[in-house]
Amino acid sequence: GPAGTGKTYETISKALEIAVPEWWSEDIERSRSTIVEQYKVLVEEGKISFVTFHQSYGYEDFVEGIRVKRKEGQLNYDVEPGVFKNICERAKDNPNENYVLIIDEINRGNISKIFGELITLIEKSKRVGNVEVLEIILPNSPNVKFGVPKNLYIIGTMNSSDRSLTSVDIALRRRFEFVEIMPKPEILKDIKITKENKVVEAIDVAKLLEVMNKRIKVLLDRDHCIGHAYFTELKPTSEKAA
C-alpha cells in the first residue's frame, strides 16, 4: 500500500500472531503499547528479526558472506552468517516454535541478488520437514547442507508509491500472499482540528483525506494516495500507525 497506511503497524501485530499464537489469542484487550512491548521482547529473544532492503543490500548481508577483520595486526577473512541464515538456524534449533522475519521495503532491493538460490528454498513445499525438502550447499560453506525450516515465516512490506508491483521479481511474487493496505479515513472520524485551543468545527479530517485521495486517484493513481497515519498526530490520545 501507499506510505502512511499503517503497514508497519499491521506487521507488528501479524508477527506476534504468528510467533506467540497462544499469547495473541488470549481473550484480553491489550493496548498498543503492550503489543509493541511484547514485540520488542521477541526481537530481543531472536524469535522476530527485522531488516530493511535497499539498493546496496546484497546476498552477503542477507545469507552469508566473507567479512574482512583485523586481529592482532593480521587480516582475517571469515565467513559470517547474515540475517536470514541466523534466524533459520534459530528456527531449526527450536522446531516447535514459530519464527518471523520481517523485510521492510522488500521491493527496494534487488531480489535476485539478495535471495540468490534461496528463492527456491523459501517455497512451502521445499522447506525442511516437508516431503519435497530441498537443501543446498552455500557457496561459502562447502560440505554443509542448508535448508529453510518450515517454522520460519517471512513478512514483507512494500510501498506501492515507491515502485510498481510489476517491477518485483515474478519468482518472489508467486511465493507470497499479497494483502493490500489502503488509507482508512474512518480512523480519523473523531479527530478535530484545533486553533488557539479552540476546535475548528468546519474541518472534517476524515472527509478531507477522502476527498484528497479521490483527486489523487484521478490525477495520478491509487498507489500515490495519502495514508491516514499522517493525520493521527492531530489527536493526542490516538493510537498512531507507523
Side-chain angles (χ1 to χ4, degrees):
T5 52
K7 294 186 293 296
T8 304
Y9 186 100
E10 295 289 342
T11 298
I12 288 175
S13 298
K14 189 63 179 177
L16 291 180
E17 183 181 349
I18 295 171
V20 282
E22 301 84 2
W23 181 88
W24 183 260
S25 61
E26 289 178 0
D27 190 19
I28 300 174
E29 186 175 345
R30 296 184 174 88
S31 65
R32 185 62 189 176
S33 59
T34 302
I35 291 174
V36 172
E37 192 61 36
Q38 178 66 15
Y39 169 81
K40 291 179 179 179
V41 169
L42 294 180
V43 170
E44 288 293 325
E45 292 177 353
K47 292 192 69 174
I48 298 176
S49 290
F50 184 96
V51 64
T52 301
F53 279 3
H54 51 80
Q55 289 82 356
S56 300
Y57 200 80
Y59 180 91
E60 295 78 10
D61 305 298
F62 193 60
V63 186
E64 69 173 12
I66 297 175
R67 301 284 192 276
V68 181
K69 292 185 177 180
R70 182 181 294 275
K71 186 176 181 181
E72 298 179 354
Q74 298 292 325
L75 294 179
N76 293 335
Y77 298 83
D78 299 325
V79 176
E80 293 191 4
V83 175
F84 186 79
K85 188 177 180 182
N86 273 327
I87 195 169
C88 280
E89 296 300 331
R90 292 196 297 272
K92 288 178 185 177
D93 292 338
N94 300 280
N96 295 323
E97 297 181 13
N98 291 336
Y99 286 73
V100 182
L101 173 62
I102 300 172
I103 304 175
D104 195 32
E105 304 288 359
I106 193 170
N107 59 320
R108 292 184 62 212
N110 184 328
I111 301 300
S112 299
K113 173 186 174 185
I114 297 172
F115 275 86
E117 62 279 295
L118 296 186
I119 200 70
T120 300
L121 299 189
I122 64 173
E123 196 167 341
K124 186 176 181 180
S125 62
K126 305 296 190 299
R127 300 291 190 95
V128 175
N130 291 329
V131 177
E132 298 180 24
V133 57
L134 181 63
E135 296 180 294
I136 62 169
I137 301 295
L138 296 176
N140 295 312
S141 299
N143 303 320
V144 179
K145 288 187 177 181
F146 177 78
V148 179
K150 62 181 181 180
N151 59 325
L152 172 63
Y153 294 79
I154 304 172
I155 302 176
T157 67
M158 179 184 300
N159 186 338
S160 57
S161 61
D162 177 59
R163 187 184 299 179
S164 172
L165 177 61
T166 57
S167 66
V168 178
D169 193 297
I170 293 177
L172 183 74
R173 275 192 276 168
R174 80 176 188 83
R175 287 170 170 81
F176 280 79
E177 175 185 351
F178 284 79
V179 178
E180 185 179 55
I181 300 180
M182 295 299 290
K184 301 174 182 176
E186 63 273 12
I187 291 178
L188 310 174
K189 64 180 181 179
D190 296 325
I191 295 180
K192 303 295 182 181
I193 300 291
T194 60
K195 184 178 181 182
E196 296 178 354
N197 297 324
K198 294 181 179 180
V199 176
V200 182
E201 298 289 351
I203 300 178
D204 184 334
V205 179
K207 187 65 176 179
L208 174 67
L209 179 62
E210 184 179 350
V211 172
M212 284 195 299
N213 281 335
K214 283 183 179 179
R215 294 183 180 180
I216 289 173
K217 288 177 184 178
V218 173
L219 297 174
L220 291 173
D221 55 55
R222 66 199 308 272
D223 289 333
H224 287 80
C225 286
I226 299 172
H228 53 268
Y230 289 111
F231 297 89
T232 54
E233 294 286 346
L234 297 173
K235 187 177 182 180
T237 58
S238 65
E239 294 281 356
K240 300 176 179 60

